[in-house]
Amino acid sequence: LDAAAVLRSASPFGFVRLFTQGTATLKKLATIQMLQSTLDGKTMSDLSQIWMREHLKLSVESIRNFAMGFGLLSAMAGKKLIPILLRATSVHSYTTLTNTTNLIAFAVRGMCERSRLFFGMLPLMLPGINGASSAAIGMVMSSEMAAAGFG
């Protein structure tokens, strides 16, 4: 192993190379994927917890049950639904579909403080849940990175 290459790859700022040395296409794909990752469950969890507690006035038990249900449905979507959609659609169609369903679900959830509406939007979120909306672009980005000499 090349020690210098290992150190470069361990740098938390290594991603900057994508924007300084990458192709125009790679820069666009990296930006899109970065923005889509903001909807990942880990980044939205705190906001959802606050919304459920402060705005929906849910009990700790209800929030726990939601988190467990969300996790189960996310796992099921990742195992069954998302692979089917990836095979059946183009990169553009998949990304558009999942971004649109996420947009609608998050917008409706935020329109009013009703727990049934909050929970009811979960099925609409399943195709793009936990950052899955970037799955198709991720495959294209890997190819583009290899072509640009990043791996």
Side-chain angles (χ1 to χ4, degrees):
L1 287 175
D2 179 15
V6 170
L7 285 175
R8 271 195 314 274
S9 67
S11 169
F13 299 106
F15 74 94
V16 173
R17 287 183 54 228
L18 292 174
F19 297 99
T20 59
Q21 299 172 9
T23 64
T25 301
L26 184 56
K27 291 174 188 178
K28 288 176 187 175
L29 289 170
T31 301
I32 291 167
Q33 193 167 36
M34 177 188 65
L35 291 171
Q36 287 181 316
S37 70
T38 61
L39 292 179
D40 187 76
K42 294 177 289 299
T43 57
M44 292 300 296
S45 179
D46 291 342
L47 182 60
S48 293
Q49 297 288 323
I50 292 168
W51 186 262
M52 287 186 279
R53 187 183 69 231
E54 299 298 324
H55 295 273
L56 301 179
K57 308 294 185 205
L58 296 180
S59 67
V60 171
E61 291 81 14
S62 294
I63 294 171
R64 178 206 59 209
N65 292 342
F66 172 79
M68 290 177 60
F70 180 85
L72 178 64
L73 289 173
S74 296
M76 290 170 54
K79 183 76 173 159
K80 298 288 184 186
L81 177 63
I82 293 166
I84 290 169
L85 288 173
L86 284 168
R87 283 191 302 272
T89 59
S90 67
V91 172
H92 181 267
S93 296
Y94 176 84
T95 305
T96 301
L97 170 70
T98 55
N99 284 336
T100 302
T101 58
N102 277 336
L103 173 68
I104 293 168
F106 279 108
V108 170
R109 285 172 107 188
M111 282 184 194
C112 57
E113 298 175 355
R114 293 197 181 121
S115 57
R116 287 185 183 183
L117 191 60
F118 187 84
F119 299 141
M121 287 295 105
L122 190 53
L124 192 59
M125 297 168 68
L126 289 178
I129 208 162
N130 281 340
S133 58
S134 67
I137 286 180
M139 292 184 281
V140 175
M141 190 170 162
S142 293
S143 297
E144 184 67 25
M145 286 180 70
F150 282 94

